[in-house]
């Protein structure tokens, strides 16, 4: 290897890191001293030569500044110009909002007569209820320039756990004669405006700018042919989410069930089964070339931008696969006859960015308004509009409205720091579900119109045991694994049968299990089977709230009886599956199942302080326990810390000592070793309806318990060191009917 | 700040015809030195520099806002002894700051006489010497002019 002698090379004294004026000047002086010692010697600041050197340094300084500036403006954390920050945010997928509208929950109230068909059990007469379309314009009573518009349908025809029913009037017998039904609907600040654009000759990536600067959203865009153009996040997005209200959803008419927010089925006997949870909207993705994106520039001008696909005049889009730009044309190198020769690349190249309008008039409705001023106070949105947009026949029903809470969230144009932070957050989330936490967050994010999820637990299923239900029948040696031992086991049976000259019952059973397995796989690979759950990699356990705010869901009933009303509504699962299809990884197969509910009661024994009112202390303790087990705070696989509860009760006024607390479904196992004849809870049964009992075939589901409760759980076994351990199967502990199921003694 | 000549043998380069010190104030092509005509002696270079700074207004020079002299501001002052003293003080201050190796021997300030009719004209003549070589005396003539 050749060794360079150090002295053979003279190090340059040009320093490439000097980038400001003074460094460059010093560098040039050194350079002149080194390389031109006899040509120039006067480095006094006043000399003309120094003036020339300083001018050169100045040019270098300016160039360095612009290089630094340009590099800095390319990086989101360092950029300072709004124009650049907006562009970088767009590049990361975040769209800057020109203005943020305020939103306020509006409480609509309709008064209806009582349905007295059952005189002892009057209820609201739902036949008098009405449905109001979205977009009801509400004027503020304090600011004449401020308007709000509802974003959802106000439907009094169904109720959910969030809605309240109160008695408005009673008759002379004290029975309810009128009811007030309330619905809470979100409204956003702003006013709808309409503009039309006439497009003659088509042009690629047509951009149409709206005249206002404070556009909060595009409501819709319809062309003169009646076609709807959909807003998408990016032009390459060819699937557009479309939500359909049940009144317009023809699929809700299946099985002779009238249109209703409650989905219905016919069971095996042909009887109508209606789900208990209302799901007003159905979600589906449609494929459409008619789409656009919105852009906001640094001056807060909103533009709508279309794709590059240009349809030839008179050519209609009849297929999902569309070679928009080339229909009717011969492109050099491409084949014209698409009916016979289809180049799969053409669709990707030319049509996935969507169409551009061609010789039509576009009508765009958009909402303008928002900002800090829109955060109006409570009770200011209570003026009823002159006319209400009834769905169905108009009604003279009395409907009042108000905002019981102040409007919130309204903000002016995002400042630079906000854009940077939100763009960063948007990029980090990527809108993709990868980890189980991603799935949980995404599932909880399902818009409530498609079904309100109460609890969710997601597990990623390990390879090899991905479908225990599928592989379990083949686990002949009960090793909890399907492996070579099971195959050898069956081979032995086959050889025995051949030698004996007849098939043994054991082999018959095993062959049956194998046949079932093969049929399941065949079904999974059948492309027409859209409901296939073959080898899921993600399993989400889900529970919803019923109208009373209690948890609702039953995994085992749902399996055996798909039309049961005891499980999570199928419409919700369908919506959720559609919703997740856009976010899940292509390799993930999501299985949606109900979660288990375990109900329980609480027994407590405390000693009160000497002069305390024992009755009052008892009520306080019961309320403390109810608050502690608030269902909103309970999650799947969450243990119950009894010691923690003791600490909470110890803090109640008047409590001197907490003797013991027992969380149980039936009896106080801390006092009795063996179950007494009658339990503290649930009589002789306990607070459960379903129990999974061992049987000859493995396990059997027993459903003979107390109606309205969940699954049996051995609290005595699960109690250890002051903690009730959660079950292996994902379940939520629920304190149901708390005023019945919290009992205590105050000594 | 000014660069002080600390060489033990002062102005030795002045003896060599092929060594150039600075650039002349008027940018004209030199005979042998290249694109700019250069000064060959230190005294000439200092002379050019004094002329240069007296012609420079403060703020003119890029990145050197304090380099220069504020004589133009005095052009429209009354022609009297007070103005003359102000001009002399300005010049003395600037030369002390940027030419610490130079001693001013004399400053003459004239109103221009007949040449100044119809315009504001100040003629300044500065006599100076370089401290290292007190025998080397020279003068610089500078005119400041402004239209009425």
């Amino acid at each position: 290897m050749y060794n360079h002698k150090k002295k053979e090379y003279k190090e340059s004294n040009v320093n490439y890191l000097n980038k400001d004026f003074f460094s460059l000047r010093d560098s040039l002086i050194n350079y002149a001293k080194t390389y031109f010692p006899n040509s120039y010697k006067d480095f006094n600041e006043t000399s003309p030569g120094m003036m020339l050197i300083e001018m050169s340094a100045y040019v270098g300084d300016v160039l360095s500044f612009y290089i630094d500036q340009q590099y800095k403006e390319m990086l989101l954390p360092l950029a300072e110009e709004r124009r650049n920050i907006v562009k970088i945010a767009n590049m990361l997928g975040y769209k800057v909002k020109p203005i943020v509208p305020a939103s306020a929950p509006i409480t609509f109230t309709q008064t209806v007569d009582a349905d007295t068909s059952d005189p002892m059990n009057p209820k609201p007469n739902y036949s008098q209820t009405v449905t109001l379309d979205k977009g009801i314009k509400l004027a503020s009573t304090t600011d004449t320039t401020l308007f709000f518009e509802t974003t959802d349908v106000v439907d009094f025809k169904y109720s959910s756990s969030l809605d309240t029913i109160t008695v408005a009037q009673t008759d002379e017998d004290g029975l309810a004669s009128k009811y007030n039904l309330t619905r809470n609907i979100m409204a956003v600040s702003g006013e709808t405006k309409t503009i039309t654009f006439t497009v003659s000759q088509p042009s690629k990536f047509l951009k149409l700018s709206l005249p206002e600067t404070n556009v909060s959203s595009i409501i819709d865009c319809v062309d003169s042919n009646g076609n709807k153009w959909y807003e998408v996040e990016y032009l390459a997005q060819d699937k557009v989410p479309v939500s359909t209200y049940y009144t317009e959803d023809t699929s809700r008419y299946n099985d002779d069930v009238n249109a209703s927010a409650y989905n219905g089925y016919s069971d095996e006997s042909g009887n109508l089964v209606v789900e208990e949870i209302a799901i007003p909207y159905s979600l589906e993705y449609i494929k459409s070339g008619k789409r656009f994106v919105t852009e906001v520039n640094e001056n807060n001008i909103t533009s709508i931008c279309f794709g590059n696909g240009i349809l030839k005049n008179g050519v209609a889009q009849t297929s999902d696969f569309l070679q928009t730009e080339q229909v009717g044309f011969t492109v050099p190198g491409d084949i014209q006859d698409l009916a016979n020769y289809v180049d799969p690349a053409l669709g990707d190249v030319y049509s996935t960015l969507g169409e551009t309008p061609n010789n039509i008039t576009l009508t765009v409705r958009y909402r303008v308004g928002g900002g800090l001023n829109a955060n109006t106070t409570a009770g200011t949105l209570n003026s009823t509009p002159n006319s209400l947009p009834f769905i169905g026949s108009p009604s003279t029903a009395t409907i009042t409205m108000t905002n019981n809470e102040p409007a919130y969230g309204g903000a002016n144009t995002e400042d630079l720091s906000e854009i940077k932070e939100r763009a960063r957050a948007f990029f980090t989330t990527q809108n993709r579900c990868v980890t189980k936490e991603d799935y949980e967050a995404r599932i909880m994010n399902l818009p409530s119109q498609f079904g309100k999820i109460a609890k969710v637990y997601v597990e990623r299923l390990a390879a090899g045991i991905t479908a225990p239900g599928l592989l379990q029948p083949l686990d002949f040696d009960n090793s909890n694994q399907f492996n070579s031992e099971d195959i050898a086991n069956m081979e032995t049976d086959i050889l025995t049968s051949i030698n004996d000259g007849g098939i043994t019952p054991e082999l018959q059973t095993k062959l049956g299990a194998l046949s079932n397995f093969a049929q399941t796989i065949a079904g999974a690979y059948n492309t027409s089977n859209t409901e296939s759950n073959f080898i899921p990699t993600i399993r989400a356990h889900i529970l919803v709230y019923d109208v009373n705010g209690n948890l609702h869901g039953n995994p085992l009933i749902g399996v055996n009886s798909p039309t049961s009303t005891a499980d999570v509504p199928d419409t919700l699962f369908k919506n959720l599956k559609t919703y997740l299809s856009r976010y899940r990884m292509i390799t993930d197969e999501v299985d949606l199942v109900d979660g288990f509910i375990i109900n329980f009661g609480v027994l407590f024994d405390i000693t009160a302080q000497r002069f305390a009112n024992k009755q009052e202390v008892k009520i306080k303790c019961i309320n403390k326990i109810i608050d502690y087990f608030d269902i909103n705070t309970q999650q799947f696989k969450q243990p119950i810390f009894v010691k923690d509860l003791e600490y909470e009760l110890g803090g109640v006024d008047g409590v001197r000592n907490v003797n013991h607390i027992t969380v149980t479904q039936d009896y106080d196992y801390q006092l009795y070793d063996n179950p007494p004849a009658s339990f503290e809870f649930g009589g002789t049964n306990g607070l459960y309806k379903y129990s999974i009992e061992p049987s000859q075939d493995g396990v059997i589901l027993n459903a003979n318990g107390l109606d309205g409760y969940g699954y049996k759980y051995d609290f005595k076994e699960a109690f250890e060191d002051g903690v009730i351990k959660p079950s292996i199967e994902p379940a939520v502990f629920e304190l149901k009917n708390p005023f019945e199921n919290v009992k205590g003694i105050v000594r | 700040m000014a660069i002080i000549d600390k060489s033990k043998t002062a102005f030795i380069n002045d003896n060599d015809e092929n060594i150039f010190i600075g650039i002349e104030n008027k940018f004209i092509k030199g005979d042998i030195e290249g694109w700019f005509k250069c000064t060959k002696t230190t005294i000439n270079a200092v002379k050019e520099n004094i002329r240069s700074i007296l012609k420079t207004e403060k703020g003119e020079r890029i990145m050197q806002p304090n380099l220069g002299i504020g004589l133009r501001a005095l052009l429209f002052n009354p022609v009297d002894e007070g103005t003359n003293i102000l001009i002399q003080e300005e010049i003395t201050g600037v030369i002390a700051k940027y030419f610490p190796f130079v001693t001013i021997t004399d400053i003459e300030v004239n109103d221009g006489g007949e040449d100044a009719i119809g315009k504001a004209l100040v003629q300044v003549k500065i006599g100076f010497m370089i401290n290292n070589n007190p025998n080397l005396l020279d003068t610089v003539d500078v005119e400041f002019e402004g239209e009425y």
Side-chain angles (χ1 to χ4, degrees):
Chain A
M1 186 177 169
Y2 179 73
N3 289 322
H4 293 282
K5 292 178 183 173
K6 196 174 180 182
K7 288 183 181 175
E8 285 181 8
Y9 298 94
K10 188 175 181 182
E11 289 179 6
S12 168
N13 66 344
V14 176
N15 188 345
Y16 295 100
L17 298 177
N18 292 334
K19 293 199 289 185
D20 66 338
F21 172 79
F22 293 104
S23 309
L24 283 167
R25 186 189 65 176
D26 294 345
S27 193
L28 286 171
I29 289 172
N30 281 337
Y31 189 81
K33 281 181 179 174
T34 306
Y35 293 106
F36 304 101
N38 294 333
S39 302
Y40 192 79
K41 285 182 168 299
D42 186 3
F43 298 104
N44 189 295
E45 288 159 306
T46 60
S47 70
M50 274 300 286
M51 184 189 71
L52 296 175
I53 287 177
E54 287 184 357
M55 285 171 70
S56 304
Y58 169 73
V59 171
D61 183 280
V62 170
L63 289 176
S64 297
F65 169 78
Y66 277 107
I67 290 170
D68 284 354
Q69 179 76 2
Q70 287 181 12
Y71 181 69
K72 193 177 75 169
E73 289 295 324
M74 283 193 294
L75 303 175
L76 185 64
L78 302 177
E80 288 177 351
E81 288 186 37
R82 184 176 180 87
R83 178 182 56 168
N84 295 328
I85 292 171
V86 169
K87 293 276 183 197
I88 296 171
N90 278 343
M91 189 180 77
L92 296 177
Y94 178 71
K95 289 184 178 172
V96 176
K97 299 174 189 69
I99 199 162
V100 183
S103 53
I106 308 291
T107 304
F108 288 81
T109 306
Q110 184 188 0
T111 305
V112 295
D113 292 334
D115 177 1
T116 53
S117 53
D118 179 2
M120 297 310 294
N121 186 23
K123 56 187 177 184
N125 185 352
Y126 280 98
S127 66
Q128 296 178 357
T129 55
V130 296
T131 306
L132 303 172
D133 205 352
K134 61 180 84 169
I136 299 170
K137 191 173 176 180
L138 304 168
S140 167
T141 51
T142 55
D143 182 353
T144 53
T145 61
L146 181 59
F147 296 95
F148 277 70
E149 290 181 341
T150 55
T151 57
D152 204 353
V153 173
V154 185
D155 197 339
F156 290 97
K157 291 184 184 299
Y158 72 90
S159 60
S160 71
S161 58
L162 299 174
D163 303 322
T164 57
I165 302 171
T166 54
V167 176
Q169 189 180 318
T170 53
D171 58 17
E172 59 273 13
D173 298 328
L175 294 174
S177 60
K178 284 185 185 296
Y179 284 95
N180 279 339
L181 308 179
T182 61
R183 299 288 181 267
N184 289 303
I185 301 295
M186 263 329 209
V188 294
S189 65
E191 207 175 346
T192 299
K193 297 200 172 183
T194 305
I195 188 170
T196 55
F197 297 98
T198 302
V199 182
S200 50
Q201 289 300 312
S203 58
K204 285 183 176 183
F205 302 110
L206 175 69
K207 184 186 275 194
L208 304 172
S209 295
L210 301 176
E212 261 90 9
T213 55
N214 53 348
V215 175
S216 63
S217 63
I218 306 285
I219 297 171
D220 57 28
C221 175
V222 181
D223 65 23
S224 46
N225 296 330
N227 296 315
K228 189 171 182 184
W229 294 69
Y230 297 95
E231 183 179 356
V232 290
E233 290 178 18
Y234 43 90
L235 283 174
Q237 179 190 331
D238 58 352
K239 281 186 176 175
V240 184
V242 174
S243 56
T244 312
Y245 201 63
Y246 72 87
T247 52
E248 297 164 1
D249 187 359
T250 52
S251 67
R252 298 287 182 112
Y253 290 86
N254 285 345
D255 300 328
D256 300 327
V257 180
N258 288 329
S260 163
Y262 303 89
N263 209 23
Y265 311 90
S266 291
D267 66 9
E268 290 165 359
S269 310
N271 298 322
L272 178 64
V273 178
V274 180
E275 287 180 335
E276 293 174 354
I277 314 287
I279 311 289
Y281 281 89
S282 300
L283 174 67
E284 62 175 342
Y285 285 102
I286 63 163
K287 205 166 186 178
S288 174
K290 290 183 169 31
R291 54 186 188 259
F292 63 88
V293 292
T294 55
E295 280 182 10
V296 178
N297 69 8
E298 68 273 17
N299 299 320
N300 282 335
I301 299 287
T302 302
S303 307
I304 53 179
C305 308
F306 298 88
N308 63 342
I310 299 170
L311 279 171
K312 192 187 173 191
N313 268 347
V315 175
Q317 180 184 353
T318 55
S319 166
D320 282 349
F321 186 89
L322 177 68
Q323 192 196 21
T324 49
E325 205 172 23
Q326 272 65 47
V327 173
F329 292 94
T330 303
V331 179
D334 281 345
I335 297 163
Q336 188 184 10
D337 188 354
L338 290 178
N340 296 321
Y341 308 100
V342 175
D343 179 357
L346 285 179
D348 291 329
V349 173
Y350 296 113
S351 72
T352 52
L353 295 181
E355 296 175 33
T356 189
N358 179 7
N359 287 311
I360 51 172
T361 301
L362 290 167
T363 304
V364 181
R365 289 198 309 147
Y366 56 97
R367 189 172 286 124
V368 174
L372 280 173
N373 293 338
N375 294 332
T376 186
T377 51
T380 55
L381 301 171
N382 53 8
S383 57
T384 307
N386 294 332
S387 63
L388 290 169
F390 290 99
I391 293 179
S393 55
S395 168
T396 56
T398 307
I399 295 166
T400 59
M401 58 211 71
T402 187
N403 59 322
N404 293 322
E405 295 174 22
Y408 57 87
N412 295 333
T413 307
E414 291 172 289
D415 65 28
L416 300 184
S417 303
E418 285 173 325
I419 297 173
K420 284 182 185 180
E421 291 302 323
R422 287 184 179 142
R424 237 178 270 176
F426 187 88
F427 182 69
T428 307
T429 56
Q430 290 277 314
N431 266 349
R432 290 286 176 273
C433 294
V434 179
T435 64
K436 64 193 271 309
E437 288 79 12
D438 294 343
Y439 275 101
E440 284 177 351
R442 181 53 63 187
I443 290 171
M444 288 303 287
N445 224 4
L446 176 76
S448 57
Q449 67 214 51
F450 303 122
K452 184 82 184 83
I453 309 286
K455 310 286 173 199
V456 62
Y457 177 80
V458 171
E459 54 185 339
R460 188 169 274 285
L461 303 172
I465 53 167
T466 49
L470 190 68
L471 292 172
Q472 193 182 9
L474 300 180
D475 180 19
F476 302 129
D477 60 354
N478 294 322
S479 63
N480 291 327
Q481 273 185 309
F482 175 63
N483 51 26
S484 57
E485 293 293 322
D486 299 306
I487 302 295
N489 191 317
M490 192 163 70
E491 281 177 358
T492 309
D493 280 1
I494 291 171
L495 286 173
T496 309
S497 298
I498 291 170
N499 290 336
D500 294 349
I503 297 179
T504 61
E506 291 79 18
L507 181 60
Q508 190 78 47
T509 307
K510 287 171 183 171
L511 289 174
L514 195 60
S515 171
N516 286 338
F517 178 72
Q519 284 177 14
T520 309
I521 291 178
Y525 280 101
N526 180 356
T527 52
S528 64
N529 182 4
T530 55
E531 296 298 318
S532 163
N533 286 329
F534 178 60
I535 311 187
T537 55
I538 291 285
R539 179 167 292 147
H541 303 261
I542 286 164
L543 288 170
V544 296
Y545 290 121
D546 65 11
V547 287
N548 300 315
N550 295 320
L551 291 179
H552 184 96
N554 191 329
L556 299 183
I557 287 293
V559 169
N560 297 328
S561 174
T563 56
S564 167
T565 61
D567 60 344
V568 176
D570 286 10
T571 316
L572 188 148
F573 273 160
K574 193 178 162 193
N575 284 346
L576 185 55
K577 201 147 197 168
T578 310
Y579 178 71
L580 287 177
S581 67
R582 210 178 123 201
Y583 302 103
R584 70 176 175 86
M585 290 197 297
I586 199 166
T587 50
D588 273 347
E589 180 72 33
V590 183
D591 186 20
L592 301 174
V593 296
D594 294 27
F596 286 93
I597 301 168
I598 299 173
N599 298 115
F600 62 89
V602 181
L603 298 166
F604 65 89
D605 183 340
I606 60 170
T607 305
Q609 287 172 351
R610 181 176 295 176
F611 301 109
N613 181 336
K614 290 181 181 175
Q615 202 61 29
E616 194 179 322
V617 171
K618 188 173 183 178
I619 290 169
K620 281 182 184 171
C621 287
I622 290 173
N623 286 333
K624 177 63 82 177
I625 291 170
I626 292 171
D627 289 346
Y628 184 82
F629 288 110
D630 180 10
I631 193 60
N632 291 316
T633 63
Q634 301 298 309
Q635 296 299 334
F636 276 103
K637 294 216 169 198
Q638 181 176 318
I640 296 175
F641 296 99
V642 181
K643 292 281 183 194
D644 196 22
L645 185 58
E646 285 178 8
Y647 176 78
E648 291 285 332
L649 284 193
V652 173
D653 281 348
V655 173
R656 194 176 78 190
N657 186 45
V658 179
N659 301 324
H660 84 269
I661 294 177
T662 304
V663 177
T664 179
Q665 277 188 324
D666 34 40
Y667 68 99
D668 192 341
Y669 48 81
Q670 295 194 61
L671 291 183
Y672 308 107
D673 287 338
N674 296 312
S678 177
F679 301 148
E680 276 87 351
F681 298 122
T684 55
N685 181 77
L687 297 176
Y688 57 86
K689 179 172 176 62
Y690 307 100
S691 58
I692 302 168
E693 309 287 354
S695 76
Q696 285 182 337
D697 301 327
V699 292
I700 188 169
L701 179 66
N702 189 342
N704 298 326
L706 210 57
D707 279 339
Y709 288 95
Y711 278 78
K712 182 181 180 183
Y713 189 59
D714 192 343
F715 279 79
K716 184 181 179 184
E717 193 68 28
F719 182 64
E720 189 178 321
D721 296 333
V723 179
I724 305 282
K725 291 183 288 185
S727 65
I728 296 172
E729 286 290 331
V732 177
F733 290 117
E734 182 193 26
L735 178 60
K736 198 170 183 180
N737 302 330
F739 293 105
E740 294 173 20
N741 295 328
V742 179
K743 295 179 181 176
I745 300 170
V746 180
R747 299 179 193 278
Chain B
M1 279 298 295
I3 298 168
I4 300 171
D5 186 355
K6 291 180 179 175
S7 55
K8 289 180 181 173
T9 312
F11 314 133
I12 193 168
N13 292 326
D14 292 358
N15 301 327
D16 192 338
E17 279 285 312
N18 293 319
I19 294 179
F20 304 102
I21 306 299
I23 294 174
E24 282 197 9
N25 222 342
K26 288 180 181 174
F27 293 134
I28 54 174
K29 196 165 187 247
D31 299 328
I32 55 167
E33 53 266 50
W35 286 103
F36 298 109
K37 191 170 186 182
C38 294
T39 52
K40 292 178 182 175
T41 60
T42 305
I43 191 80
N44 278 343
V46 171
K47 198 173 163 179
E48 291 296 327
N49 290 354
I50 290 173
R51 189 175 284 133
S52 169
I53 197 166
L54 293 183
K55 287 283 193 181
T56 305
E57 275 291 305
K58 280 186 178 178
E60 268 184 18
R61 275 284 285 273
I62 294 161
M63 308 294 280
Q64 299 269 35
N66 295 321
L67 194 148
I69 193 166
L71 285 186
R72 287 184 201 280
L74 303 172
L75 276 179
F76 296 97
N77 278 16
V79 183
D80 56 15
E81 192 60 27
T83 305
N84 284 355
I85 290 171
L86 280 176
I87 292 172
Q88 285 175 5
E89 282 179 353
E90 278 282 322
I91 292 169
T92 309
V94 163
I95 288 181
K97 183 177 179 184
Y98 290 101
F99 303 94
F101 51 90
V102 164
T103 303
I104 295 174
T105 56
D106 184 30
I107 299 177
E108 284 180 28
V109 181
N110 297 320
D111 60 2
E114 290 183 357
D115 294 343
I117 295 170
K119 52 188 171 185
L121 181 69
V122 173
Q123 292 173 331
V124 178
K125 186 176 185 180
I126 302 167
F128 69 94
M129 67 176 186
I130 297 178
N131 296 344
N132 281 6
N133 192 349
N135 297 326
L136 211 56
L137 291 170
D138 208 336
T139 57
V140 181
D141 294 313
V142 182
E143 283 188 357
F144 300 95
E145 196 176 320
E147 297 285 334
Y148 283 121

